[in-house]
Amino acid sequence: TKYHGNAKSVTIPTKVGAHVVIGVSRYTFSDNKTLKSITVPDGMRVDGFGACNVEKIYFKGKATLGYETFSGCKYLKEVNLPPNLREIPSGMFYGCKNLKSLTLPEGITSIGGDAFYGCSKLQKLRIPKEVNYIEYNPFAYCSSLTGLTVDKGNPYFAHGPNGELYQVDGSHAELIFAGAVSGDYVVSK
């Protein structure tokens, strides 16, 4: 069922009559032109906001998020992720071209492929110390991403002076994201 209201802000209810609301189905808010912000209460399952026009999404506590939860939300500028989130699945923010910054909660252990694909305005992202796996191309077409940093306590990844990302293995490092640098690119020894 789609939301057809004209409110600018919606808080998902925890009950409708005698029925407990347990989640949000994929595409519930797609195609709605007036809704700008959604608040999700603690304990919800969110299959996805798929291609909605919302600018802000707030989680009031723990939540279970589905694959490609925010995919296609091209107007999304701000989201606070639930604190219990342990992975950023493949395609989670695919095409969220207006997302400028995001704070990944502590406890995230993996970032899926194409997770931030096409987030062309994303400027800053911190990789928490618990991240031990990053799949292929998570930052493809993130043309503004110059503030990529890795927590000092992370033994698996490191960032360079130009916002590049390296996968670290003992005394070796492999460049896995070159950052949004222009001109000549020099990898220092």
Side-chain angles (χ1 to χ4, degrees), residues 100-139:
K100 288 186 180 180
S101 70
L102 181 69
T103 300
L104 299 181
E106 296 301 323
I108 294 285
T109 59
S110 66
I111 298 174
D114 295 334
F116 299 96
Y117 184 101
C119 294
S120 57
K121 290 187 181 173
L122 184 63
Q123 298 171 354
K124 296 180 182 181
L125 188 68
R126 179 187 59 81
I127 308 292
K129 65 183 175 191
E130 297 88 354
V131 173
N132 59 36
Y133 180 73
I134 297 179
E135 206 172 352
Y136 63 94
N137 287 333
F139 310 111

Short mmCIF file of all heavy atoms in Angstrom, two decimals, residues 100-139:
data_model
loop_
_atom_site.label_atom_id
_atom_site.label_comp_id
_atom_site.label_asym_id
_atom_site.label_seq_id
_atom_site.Cartn_x
_atom_site.Cartn_y
_atom_site.Cartn_z
N LYS A 100 25.16 14.41 1.25
CA LYS A 100 26.47 15.07 1.35
C LYS A 100 27.38 14.44 2.39
O LYS A 100 28.59 14.41 2.22
CB LYS A 100 26.29 16.56 1.68
CG LYS A 100 25.76 17.36 0.52
CD LYS A 100 25.74 18.82 0.84
CE LYS A 100 25.21 19.61 -0.34
NZ LYS A 100 25.16 21.03 -0.07
N SER A 101 26.82 14.01 3.50
CA SER A 101 27.64 13.36 4.53
C SER A 101 26.79 12.33 5.26
O SER A 101 25.56 12.38 5.22
CB SER A 101 28.23 14.38 5.51
OG SER A 101 27.22 14.93 6.32
N LEU A 102 27.48 11.42 5.90
CA LEU A 102 26.80 10.34 6.58
C LEU A 102 27.70 9.84 7.70
O LEU A 102 28.91 9.73 7.51
CB LEU A 102 26.52 9.20 5.59
CG LEU A 102 25.78 7.99 6.11
CD1 LEU A 102 24.33 8.34 6.42
CD2 LEU A 102 25.82 6.87 5.07
N THR A 103 27.13 9.54 8.83
CA THR A 103 27.89 8.95 9.92
C THR A 103 27.51 7.49 10.02
O THR A 103 26.35 7.15 10.24
CB THR A 103 27.58 9.66 11.26
OG1 THR A 103 27.93 11.05 11.12
CG2 THR A 103 28.36 9.05 12.41
N LEU A 104 28.51 6.62 9.82
CA LEU A 104 28.27 5.19 9.96
C LEU A 104 28.37 4.86 11.44
O LEU A 104 29.33 5.26 12.10
CB LEU A 104 29.31 4.39 9.17
CG LEU A 104 29.32 4.62 7.66
CD1 LEU A 104 30.38 3.74 7.01
CD2 LEU A 104 27.97 4.34 7.05
N PRO A 105 27.40 4.13 11.99
CA PRO A 105 27.44 3.82 13.41
C PRO A 105 28.59 2.86 13.76
O PRO A 105 29.02 2.07 12.92
CB PRO A 105 26.09 3.16 13.69
CG PRO A 105 25.50 2.83 12.39
CD PRO A 105 26.21 3.61 11.34
N GLU A 106 29.08 2.98 14.98
CA GLU A 106 30.08 2.03 15.46
C GLU A 106 29.48 0.64 15.38
O GLU A 106 28.28 0.47 15.57
CB GLU A 106 30.48 2.36 16.90
CG GLU A 106 31.15 3.71 17.06
CD GLU A 106 32.42 3.87 16.25
OE1 GLU A 106 33.19 2.90 16.11
OE2 GLU A 106 32.65 4.98 15.74
N GLY A 107 30.29 -0.34 15.10
CA GLY A 107 29.79 -1.71 15.00
C GLY A 107 29.58 -2.19 13.58
O GLY A 107 29.39 -3.37 13.35
N ILE A 108 29.62 -1.27 12.59
CA ILE A 108 29.53 -1.67 11.19
C ILE A 108 30.75 -2.53 10.88
O ILE A 108 31.88 -2.14 11.18
CB ILE A 108 29.52 -0.44 10.25
CG1 ILE A 108 28.26 0.38 10.44
CG2 ILE A 108 29.69 -0.84 8.80
CD1 ILE A 108 27.02 -0.20 9.85
N THR A 109 30.55 -3.72 10.28
CA THR A 109 31.67 -4.60 9.97
C THR A 109 31.92 -4.75 8.48
O THR A 109 33.00 -5.16 8.07
CB THR A 109 31.47 -6.01 10.57
OG1 THR A 109 30.27 -6.57 10.04
CG2 THR A 109 31.39 -5.95 12.09
N SER A 110 30.92 -4.41 7.63
CA SER A 110 31.13 -4.55 6.19
C SER A 110 30.36 -3.50 5.41
O SER A 110 29.33 -3.00 5.85
CB SER A 110 30.72 -5.96 5.73
OG SER A 110 29.33 -6.14 5.87
N ILE A 111 30.91 -3.22 4.23
CA ILE A 111 30.27 -2.29 3.29
C ILE A 111 30.15 -3.03 1.96
O ILE A 111 31.14 -3.48 1.40
CB ILE A 111 31.10 -1.00 3.13
CG1 ILE A 111 31.20 -0.28 4.48
CG2 ILE A 111 30.48 -0.09 2.07
CD1 ILE A 111 32.11 0.93 4.48
N GLY A 112 28.93 -3.17 1.48
CA GLY A 112 28.65 -3.94 0.27
C GLY A 112 28.99 -3.20 -1.01
O GLY A 112 29.17 -1.98 -1.03
N GLY A 113 29.04 -3.95 -2.09
CA GLY A 113 29.32 -3.41 -3.41
C GLY A 113 28.27 -2.40 -3.83
O GLY A 113 27.10 -2.53 -3.52
N ASP A 114 28.72 -1.34 -4.49
CA ASP A 114 27.84 -0.28 -4.98
C ASP A 114 27.03 0.37 -3.86
O ASP A 114 26.00 1.00 -4.12
CB ASP A 114 26.89 -0.79 -6.07
CG ASP A 114 27.61 -1.23 -7.32
OD1 ASP A 114 28.72 -0.72 -7.58
OD2 ASP A 114 27.06 -2.07 -8.06
N ALA A 115 27.46 0.24 -2.62
CA ALA A 115 26.70 0.77 -1.49
C ALA A 115 26.39 2.26 -1.63
O ALA A 115 25.30 2.71 -1.28
CB ALA A 115 27.43 0.51 -0.18
N PHE A 116 27.35 3.02 -2.15
CA PHE A 116 27.18 4.47 -2.29
C PHE A 116 27.26 4.90 -3.76
O PHE A 116 27.53 6.06 -4.05
CB PHE A 116 28.25 5.20 -1.46
CG PHE A 116 28.15 4.90 0.00
CD1 PHE A 116 28.96 3.92 0.56
CD2 PHE A 116 27.25 5.56 0.81
CE1 PHE A 116 28.88 3.63 1.91
CE2 PHE A 116 27.15 5.27 2.16
CZ PHE A 116 27.97 4.30 2.71
N TYR A 117 27.03 3.98 -4.66
CA TYR A 117 27.14 4.23 -6.10
C TYR A 117 26.32 5.46 -6.49
O TYR A 117 25.14 5.56 -6.20
CB TYR A 117 26.62 3.01 -6.86
CG TYR A 117 26.76 3.08 -8.36
CD1 TYR A 117 27.79 2.41 -9.00
CD2 TYR A 117 25.87 3.81 -9.13
CE1 TYR A 117 27.93 2.45 -10.39
CE2 TYR A 117 26.01 3.88 -10.51
CZ TYR A 117 27.03 3.20 -11.12
OH TYR A 117 27.16 3.26 -12.49
N GLY A 118 26.98 6.40 -7.14
CA GLY A 118 26.27 7.58 -7.65
C GLY A 118 25.93 8.62 -6.63
O GLY A 118 25.17 9.55 -6.92
N CYS A 119 26.49 8.53 -5.43
CA CYS A 119 26.27 9.58 -4.42
C CYS A 119 27.23 10.72 -4.73
O CYS A 119 28.23 10.94 -4.03
CB CYS A 119 26.50 9.02 -3.01
SG CYS A 119 25.29 7.78 -2.52
N SER A 120 26.93 11.44 -5.78
CA SER A 120 27.87 12.41 -6.35
C SER A 120 28.15 13.61 -5.47
O SER A 120 29.15 14.30 -5.67
CB SER A 120 27.37 12.87 -7.72
OG SER A 120 26.07 13.41 -7.62
N LYS A 121 27.31 13.90 -4.48
CA LYS A 121 27.56 15.03 -3.58
C LYS A 121 28.14 14.58 -2.23
O LYS A 121 28.45 15.42 -1.39
CB LYS A 121 26.28 15.83 -3.37
CG LYS A 121 25.86 16.58 -4.60
CD LYS A 121 24.71 17.50 -4.34
CE LYS A 121 24.32 18.21 -5.62
NZ LYS A 121 23.10 19.00 -5.46
N LEU A 122 28.31 13.27 -2.04
CA LEU A 122 28.87 12.76 -0.79
C LEU A 122 30.30 13.26 -0.66
O LEU A 122 31.14 12.99 -1.52
CB LEU A 122 28.83 11.24 -0.76
CG LEU A 122 29.31 10.57 0.52
CD1 LEU A 122 28.42 10.95 1.71
CD2 LEU A 122 29.32 9.06 0.35
N GLN A 123 30.58 14.02 0.40
CA GLN A 123 31.89 14.63 0.59
C GLN A 123 32.69 13.95 1.70
O GLN A 123 33.91 13.88 1.60
CB GLN A 123 31.73 16.11 0.94
CG GLN A 123 31.07 16.90 -0.16
CD GLN A 123 30.73 18.32 0.28
OE1 GLN A 123 30.89 18.70 1.44
NE2 GLN A 123 30.26 19.12 -0.65
N LYS A 124 32.03 13.53 2.74
CA LYS A 124 32.72 12.98 3.90
C LYS A 124 32.13 11.64 4.32
O LYS A 124 30.92 11.48 4.32
CB LYS A 124 32.62 13.94 5.10
CG LYS A 124 33.30 15.25 4.89
CD LYS A 124 33.14 16.12 6.13
CE LYS A 124 33.78 17.47 5.90
NZ LYS A 124 33.67 18.31 7.09
N LEU A 125 33.02 10.73 4.70
CA LEU A 125 32.58 9.44 5.23
C LEU A 125 33.72 8.87 6.07
O LEU A 125 34.87 8.86 5.65
CB LEU A 125 32.23 8.48 4.10
CG LEU A 125 31.59 7.16 4.53
CD1 LEU A 125 30.19 7.40 5.11
CD2 LEU A 125 31.52 6.19 3.38
N ARG A 126 33.37 8.42 7.26
CA ARG A 126 34.35 7.82 8.17
C ARG A 126 34.10 6.32 8.22
O ARG A 126 32.98 5.89 8.46
CB ARG A 126 34.22 8.43 9.57
CG ARG A 126 35.18 7.84 10.60
CD ARG A 126 34.88 8.35 12.00
NE ARG A 126 33.53 8.03 12.44
CZ ARG A 126 33.14 6.86 12.94
NH1 ARG A 126 33.98 5.87 13.05
NH2 ARG A 126 31.89 6.67 13.33
N ILE A 127 35.16 5.54 7.98
CA ILE A 127 35.06 4.08 8.07
C ILE A 127 35.37 3.69 9.51
O ILE A 127 36.49 3.93 9.99
CB ILE A 127 36.08 3.40 7.11
CG1 ILE A 127 35.96 3.94 5.68
CG2 ILE A 127 35.96 1.89 7.19
CD1 ILE A 127 34.70 3.58 4.96
N PRO A 128 34.41 3.12 10.25
CA PRO A 128 34.65 2.74 11.65
C PRO A 128 35.72 1.67 11.80
O PRO A 128 36.01 0.92 10.87
CB PRO A 128 33.28 2.22 12.12
CG PRO A 128 32.29 2.77 11.16
CD PRO A 128 33.01 2.87 9.85
N LYS A 129 36.25 1.58 13.00
CA LYS A 129 37.35 0.64 13.26
C LYS A 129 36.95 -0.82 13.12
O LYS A 129 37.78 -1.68 12.89
CB LYS A 129 37.95 0.90 14.64
CG LYS A 129 37.02 0.63 15.80
CD LYS A 129 37.67 0.99 17.12
CE LYS A 129 36.65 0.82 18.24
NZ LYS A 129 37.13 1.38 19.48
N GLU A 130 35.66 -1.14 13.22
CA GLU A 130 35.19 -2.52 13.15
C GLU A 130 35.05 -3.05 11.73
O GLU A 130 34.88 -4.25 11.52
CB GLU A 130 33.85 -2.68 13.87
CG GLU A 130 33.88 -2.40 15.35
CD GLU A 130 33.66 -0.93 15.70
OE1 GLU A 130 33.57 -0.08 14.77
OE2 GLU A 130 33.58 -0.60 16.88
N VAL A 131 35.09 -2.17 10.71
CA VAL A 131 34.91 -2.61 9.32
C VAL A 131 36.09 -3.49 8.92
O VAL A 131 37.24 -3.07 8.97
CB VAL A 131 34.78 -1.41 8.35
CG1 VAL A 131 34.77 -1.88 6.90
CG2 VAL A 131 33.51 -0.63 8.65
N ASN A 132 35.78 -4.73 8.53
CA ASN A 132 36.83 -5.66 8.11
C ASN A 132 36.66 -6.14 6.68
O ASN A 132 37.47 -6.90 6.17
CB ASN A 132 36.93 -6.85 9.07
CG ASN A 132 35.63 -7.64 9.15
OD1 ASN A 132 34.92 -7.81 8.16
ND2 ASN A 132 35.31 -8.12 10.33
N TYR A 133 35.58 -5.70 6.01
CA TYR A 133 35.33 -6.14 4.65
C TYR A 133 34.64 -5.02 3.87
O TYR A 133 33.64 -4.47 4.32
CB TYR A 133 34.45 -7.39 4.64
CG TYR A 133 34.14 -7.91 3.26
CD1 TYR A 133 35.10 -8.55 2.50
CD2 TYR A 133 32.88 -7.73 2.70
CE1 TYR A 133 34.83 -9.02 1.21
CE2 TYR A 133 32.59 -8.19 1.42
CZ TYR A 133 33.57 -8.83 0.68
OH TYR A 133 33.30 -9.29 -0.58
N ILE A 134 35.20 -4.71 2.71
CA ILE A 134 34.58 -3.75 1.79
C ILE A 134 34.53 -4.43 0.43
O ILE A 134 35.55 -4.82 -0.12
CB ILE A 134 35.35 -2.42 1.72
CG1 ILE A 134 35.32 -1.73 3.09
CG2 ILE A 134 34.74 -1.51 0.65
CD1 ILE A 134 36.08 -0.43 3.15
N GLU A 135 33.31 -4.57 -0.09
CA GLU A 135 33.10 -5.23 -1.37
C GLU A 135 33.45 -4.28 -2.52
O GLU A 135 33.75 -3.12 -2.32
CB GLU A 135 31.63 -5.68 -1.46
CG GLU A 135 31.39 -6.84 -2.37
CD GLU A 135 29.94 -7.34 -2.27
OE1 GLU A 135 29.19 -6.90 -1.41
OE2 GLU A 135 29.59 -8.18 -3.10
N TYR A 136 33.35 -4.76 -3.75
CA TYR A 136 33.71 -4.03 -4.96
C TYR A 136 32.96 -2.70 -5.12
O TYR A 136 31.79 -2.58 -4.79
CB TYR A 136 33.44 -4.90 -6.20
CG TYR A 136 31.97 -5.23 -6.35
CD1 TYR A 136 31.13 -4.45 -7.13
CD2 TYR A 136 31.41 -6.31 -5.66
CE1 TYR A 136 29.79 -4.73 -7.24
CE2 TYR A 136 30.06 -6.60 -5.77
CZ TYR A 136 29.26 -5.81 -6.55
OH TYR A 136 27.92 -6.08 -6.64
N ASN A 137 33.64 -1.70 -5.62
CA ASN A 137 33.08 -0.40 -6.04
C ASN A 137 32.07 0.25 -5.10
O ASN A 137 31.06 0.77 -5.57
CB ASN A 137 32.41 -0.54 -7.41
CG ASN A 137 33.41 -0.68 -8.52
OD1 ASN A 137 34.53 -0.20 -8.42
ND2 ASN A 137 33.00 -1.33 -9.60
N PRO A 138 32.29 0.28 -3.81
CA PRO A 138 31.26 0.89 -2.97
C PRO A 138 31.12 2.39 -3.19
O PRO A 138 30.08 2.96 -2.90
CB PRO A 138 31.75 0.59 -1.55
CG PRO A 138 33.22 0.46 -1.69
CD PRO A 138 33.44 -0.15 -3.03
N PHE A 139 32.17 3.04 -3.72
CA PHE A 139 32.16 4.49 -3.88
C PHE A 139 32.20 4.92 -5.34
O PHE A 139 32.62 6.03 -5.66
CB PHE A 139 33.34 5.11 -3.11
CG PHE A 139 33.43 4.63 -1.70
CD1 PHE A 139 34.47 3.80 -1.29
CD2 PHE A 139 32.46 4.96 -0.76
CE1 PHE A 139 34.55 3.34 0.00
CE2 PHE A 139 32.53 4.50 0.54
CZ PHE A 139 33.58 3.68 0.92
#
